[in-house]
Structures are given as C-alpha cells and as structure tokens.
Amino acid sequence: MVEEVSAKSEMDQRYPELVRLAYLVLPGDRPRKYRLALARRIVDESLPQRAVRNPGKAYVQVRTRVLAKAMRPRWRLRVGLGRWLSALPAALPESAQTDPLIGLTPEVRAAYVLRTVEEMPYYAAHDQLVALGVRDARTALNEAAEVGEPAGHIAGLSVVRGPRRRPVLPVAVASVLTVVLIGGIVLTENRHRDAQRKAGGDEVVMAGAQAWTRAGHALAVWPARGDLVSNRDFVAAALTTWRRAVALKAHDGAAGGPPRGRPQVLYAGRVGGTPVALLSDGGRVARYVQAAGHPTVELFPAPRGGTTPLVLTDGRYLLPPWVLAARASAPGRPARPVTIEDGVAAVPSGDAGDSADCAGGPVLALREPDGEHTVADLEGLALTEVRLPPDPPACALPAPDRAVAAGAVTEFWAGRLPGGVRARWLCSRYTYLDGRTVAHATLFEKGGERHPTGDCGDVRGGEVSGLWWRPGRRWLYVAAASEGFKPELTGKFKDTGHEHGLLVAKGPKGPRRPKEPVTLSARAR
C-alpha cells in the first residue's frame, strides 16, 4: 500500500514561501498590494487539488508552475482579483528591498530571487531555470550575481491559502489540446524513426543533429556522435549488456538495474582504439566499455542541466554540441588549445594535477556562444562548472572524495606574512550531488609551498581562516577574513594587533607548534 500525503498539509505549510517567490518575480510595475494579490492567485491556481504521493516532487512541480506564471503573467490573471485582495498581511516587503528587481528581465529576476532570496545552490537554481525554458540559464545567473544585495532580509509573507474553487476548463478545449499534443508526438516520432533505425532499431533514440539549436540546453538535445553510431551490432551489444545487468557498477548514488524505456544514444565510437558508448535513460547515464573482450557498464546519475562535458575515458571528454573551442590546463600552469574531433576533446596528461591531495583531472575553458565557461574534472561523469580566481596556484582545487556538483575558489587575502613571505589565502568550496557543502582553506606561498588551514568558516558572504606561523623564534597566530569582515580570536592567545591586513597574536617560543586550542571567528566590519 502506498501512503498518500495530503496536499493541504504539505502545500499549506509552504504556501507563504511560494507567494513570496511569485511576488518577487512578478513585474514591479503595479502597486505592492496588487502584486501580492496576483501572487496569491498564481499560487492558488498552481497548487494540486488532490492528495499527492510525493510531497517533495510535487512542491518542485508547483514551484516551476508558479515561477513560469510569475515571470510572464497572462492578462486573464489580472482580471477579478477581488477575493485575493482580501486578508492581506499588514507588512509587505519595502520598496527599497524590491527596487533592484524592477529593471531586470524576467529570467534575471527569477535567477536573482532563487539565488539571493531563496538561497538555492548554483546548480539547483540553474536546473530550475532550465526547467522554465530559459535558454541561457548561466548568463541569467551571472547577471543576477552582479545585482546588489537587498536592503535587508526579505522575510516570509504572513498569508494563508484562500478558499479553493474547482478550476473550470471546458472539455472541448481539453480534447483539442490532447489531440494537438498527440499529433505533435506522432510527428516527432516519425521524424526521428530513420535515425533510430540507424542506431539499433526502435530500441534506442537519438536527438537530431540540430535539435540543440531549437531548444534549451539539456542532455536530451545532445546529438549522438562517434564513428560507431551507425554500427547496429555495437549499439545493440551496449544496450544488451546494460539490460542484462552484466558487470554493472553504480556510482554516486545511481540506481542499478536495466534501462527504463528507450535509452538515448549520446556517443558510440572508438576512444584510443577502445569501443565506448554512452547511453541515457533520462535519470541515469551508462558508460559501456568493450575492452579486451570483457565489456563493462558503469552507471551514473544523469547530470543536472546537461551543460558540461562527460568523461569518456581518462583525458577524453564528450563536449556539449554548442561548444566552439576549448583550452585545457591545471591550476598553476598555462592553458593550451585542445584538439576536438567529432565532439570529443583530447586532453594531454600533462594538463592534470600531479599530487594525491589535488584534483587529478584538468580544467577546461570552454568557448561558447554566450562567452567562456570554466569546468573541471572532479570525480564524477560530468565535469563541474567552477569559478577560479585569476592565475590560480597549483592545487587550488583539492582532491574531492566524491563527485562534485558545483565548485568555487575565492581568494580572500593576499600580501606579506610576518617575516616578509608573500602569500595568498584561498577558500575552495564544493557542493556535492547530495547537496552537502565542504570548504577547504589553504595558504599558498609565492615559492610554491602550501599550508592547509582547515575550514573557511561559515561566514555568510565571506571566508575566514588562520594558522600558526613561525617567522623567527616566536610562534605567531595569523588569521585573515574576506573584505568587509574582521577576524576575531578567543582563547589563551588573544588578538594583539594587525599587520598587512592580518590578525596577529603572539604565541610561545620554541620549535614545536603550539597545541593550545584557538577559537577563530569573524564579524562584519
């Protein structure tokens, strides 16, 4: 028996959250009360009318509907707002808090609210925008990041769900829509039937070579590439191995088992002389390798968004079809152009990390129509979009212990340490596929030595870290924080001054590093 969860019990709790989301994304050309009434109507009409079996999934679907309607509200929603104008909360967000949103496009406005107000991780906000049909989600997120912080925290709205009415949709209209949708599906199937036969009959599907030019960037529009795409025997062998669950190995939480439905062929070809195939069933990607007569299949979660390269084998990456050119490097080394053939980038081994505690894969700068994007090979099947500071030092990307969904490296201090050594302090933050976030702080000397200094702290919008430093006979505890924050020290060794932007506390003399605990924090200046 499957337990059903009441739509009211789940959605009513999150109703104010959804109304705030719609209110902030709506165009700001109307009075605040009018916008709130419109936001309430949008949410009310987007909520499920029946019990739901998966509240989490249902909420994501409702949020997508709410955002789509709020980004471009239709005229009919503006008519007859009387009952939604009743019981408005006493306090609405101040105009100063929402003024920065007025001049933004709907896509950037949604990106700003998701990242700044809802505090969604970058990859989650990117996926939400893609689901909304935003063609260039990354540009929208980048533009939203340049908008200033709101003038104070935008609290939730004290609103409750209004009286529910059954939506009225004429049966005739619904029937016409159904016929149109079925006709579109049949037409699409007919157009792709020839391509399917070339790649193993009706058991697999392929996207058209130009499908990505007519839809949002996603894995579903990647064309099949490789010199074995038309080899029905090879594609059939890969599919059969996956279906029979022979030598399957699942990674990063991917479910095992045979494919669901007809898999999509992403790649089928020889990589360094070894036949390799990539197949996707929507939720997973299977990598089939036919090496030395022992075929293997590895399963990975389907990458969110489908906008970064996929690993074929070591040093070989299948690029998204919209990538125009690529350069490869490792942090601390110059970038070099990469040879691309049939969508596959070949990266020399010298462009990978050379230390066990550093990320082993290369960093790729991808030139795309909307600009350049930086990705790194951080364990998973899909490369990770990362932000790096200018001229990142060697090992700026620590070795992760699992696949990384998003990464960012920021420099929060640079200058001279006591004793005159030039150095940089970097914070590397990783968000894993399960949403967990970790941070590593490292002090890099100009000469190449590096000193891991633990976590970067949980400072909202900044970083802080410190370490024991011995420029002479006496140990000093030095610490730094991001611009706008001041590091503070408690414990036996207290802050005794600042030098070159660093907090400096005097410790004992002697060759051994002090073991007394030190508590480091930071506060806004």
Side-chain angles (χ1 to χ4, degrees):
M1 177 178 178
V2 178
E3 180 181 3
E4 292 194 353
V5 180
S6 168
K8 179 178 184 299
S9 64
E10 174 70 17
M11 293 304 170
D12 284 10
Q13 293 179 16
R14 308 194 76 167
Y15 182 79
E17 180 181 345
L18 290 165
V19 172
R20 180 180 70 168
L21 191 64
Y23 176 86
L24 296 174
V25 174
L26 279 165
D29 56 349
R30 298 296 179 93
R32 291 185 297 163
K33 289 185 177 181
Y34 178 91
R35 280 160 49 205
L36 178 59
L38 188 56
R40 292 181 64 196
R41 180 173 190 170
I42 286 173
V43 175
D44 283 348
E45 295 189 358
S46 301
L47 293 172
Q49 301 299 317
R50 300 176 180 177
V52 295
R53 296 187 179 187
N54 187 332
K57 182 178 180 181
Y59 173 75
V60 172
Q61 294 172 342
V62 170
R63 184 180 65 198
T64 301
R65 290 197 291 267
V66 168
L67 285 168
K69 293 178 181 179
M71 287 170 65
R72 293 180 176 83
R74 296 183 177 181
W75 65 269
R76 73 168 185 83
L77 293 173
R78 306 176 187 272
V79 179
L81 286 175
R83 68 187 183 97
W84 285 282
L85 282 167
S86 62
L88 293 178
L92 295 176
E94 297 294 332
S95 296
Q97 295 178 319
T98 57
D99 283 348
L101 302 174
I102 294 177
L104 304 179
T105 64
E107 295 80 7
V108 176
R109 194 161 55 242
Y112 177 87
V113 172
L114 291 174
R115 289 284 286 151
T116 305
V117 181
E118 298 296 315
E119 298 182 352
M120 290 177 64
Y122 182 95
Y123 71 86
H126 182 279
D127 289 353
Q128 178 65 84
L129 293 173
V130 169
L132 290 167
V134 177
R135 286 186 60 87
D136 198 344
R138 281 186 289 198
T139 297
L141 288 165
N142 292 340
E143 292 181 9
E146 297 176 0
V147 181
E149 292 284 334
H153 175 66
I154 303 177
L157 299 172
S158 299
V159 290
V160 295
R161 188 174 178 182
R164 265 146 273 182
R165 298 181 181 179
R166 290 181 61 87
V168 179
L169 180 66
V171 175
V173 175
S175 300
V176 171
L177 290 175
T178 302
V179 171
V180 171
L181 287 173
I182 292 176
I185 292 172
V186 171
L187 180 61
T188 301
E189 289 294 321
N190 289 337
R191 286 178 177 175
H192 291 296
R193 191 167 301 281
D194 290 341
Q196 294 166 9
R197 286 183 181 136
K198 290 181 181 179
D202 291 333
E203 296 185 336
V204 294
V205 296
M206 290 196 309
Q210 300 300 317
W212 63 272
T213 65
R214 301 185 296 272
H217 290 176
L219 197 65
V221 299
W222 285 33
R225 287 165 287 179
D227 61 333
L228 296 177
V229 163
S230 298
N231 188 319
R232 298 184 60 174
D233 292 337
F234 174 71
V235 174
L239 182 57
T240 299
T241 303
W242 185 6
R243 281 181 171 168
R244 291 178 178 175
V246 177
L248 283 185
K249 184 177 182 180
H251 301 274
D252 307 325
R260 305 178 181 96
R262 293 186 302 174
Q264 174 190 358
V265 179
L266 300 172
Y267 181 84
R270 299 176 181 88
V271 182
T274 301
V276 177
L278 290 182
L279 306 173
S280 173
D281 66 353
R284 298 168 296 171
V285 174
R287 183 169 61 196
Y288 171 81
V289 180
Q290 198 179 73
H294 299 287
T296 60
V297 174
E298 296 176 277
L299 296 177
F300 303 85
R304 296 183 177 97
T307 58
T308 62
L310 304 180
V311 180
L312 291 172
T313 62
D314 290 342
R316 299 293 184 270
Y317 303 92
L318 182 65
L319 303 179
W322 48 84
V323 172
L324 304 174
R327 294 178 294 116
S329 67
R333 298 176 185 172
R336 297 187 292 175
V338 172
T339 301
I340 301 175
E341 184 175 351
D342 200 12
V344 177
V347 179
S349 58
D351 290 325
D354 55 4
S355 177
D357 54 352
C358 305
V363 174
L364 297 180
L366 306 178
R367 182 161 63 86
E368 303 180 18
D370 64 338
E372 191 170 82
H373 302 278
T374 303
V375 296
D377 187 349
L378 297 176
E379 293 296 324
L381 172 76
L383 271 62
T384 304
E385 188 160 355
V386 296
R387 297 198 316 270
L388 295 173
D391 301 319
C395 207
L397 292 168
D401 58 2
R402 66 189 70 181
V404 177
V409 179
T410 55
E411 178 181 287
F412 61 93
W413 178 85
R416 289 186 181 274
L417 294 164
V421 175
R422 286 191 173 276
R424 311 166 65 181
W425 227 319
L426 270 60
C427 176
S428 304
R429 292 188 185 274
Y430 291 158
T431 299
Y432 293 122
L433 297 179
D434 61 2
R436 186 171 64 90
T437 300
V438 296
H440 306 275
T442 307
L443 183 68
F444 294 87
E445 295 185 34
K446 185 177 180 180
E449 291 190 42
R450 50 191 169 86
H451 309 275
T453 59
D455 194 279
C456 307
D458 57 358
V459 181
R460 176 174 168 79
E463 294 81 29
V464 63
S465 192
L467 85 164
W468 285 106
W469 182 255
R470 186 168 176 256
R473 297 179 59 192
R474 182 182 295 276
W475 285 93
L476 303 176
Y477 191 86
V478 297
S482 302
E483 184 177 359
F485 293 88
K486 180 181 179 181
E488 293 184 332
L489 201 62
T490 57
K492 181 178 179 180
F493 306 102
K494 295 186 177 181
D495 177 2
T496 57
H498 289 75
E499 182 178 337
H500 302 296
L502 293 169
L503 173 152
V504 180
K506 291 183 179 179
K509 296 180 180 179
R512 294 186 178 180
R513 185 183 302 272
K515 295 183 178 180
E516 290 80 355
V518 176
T519 302
L520 180 64
S521 61
R523 64 177 175 86
R525 292 184 182 275

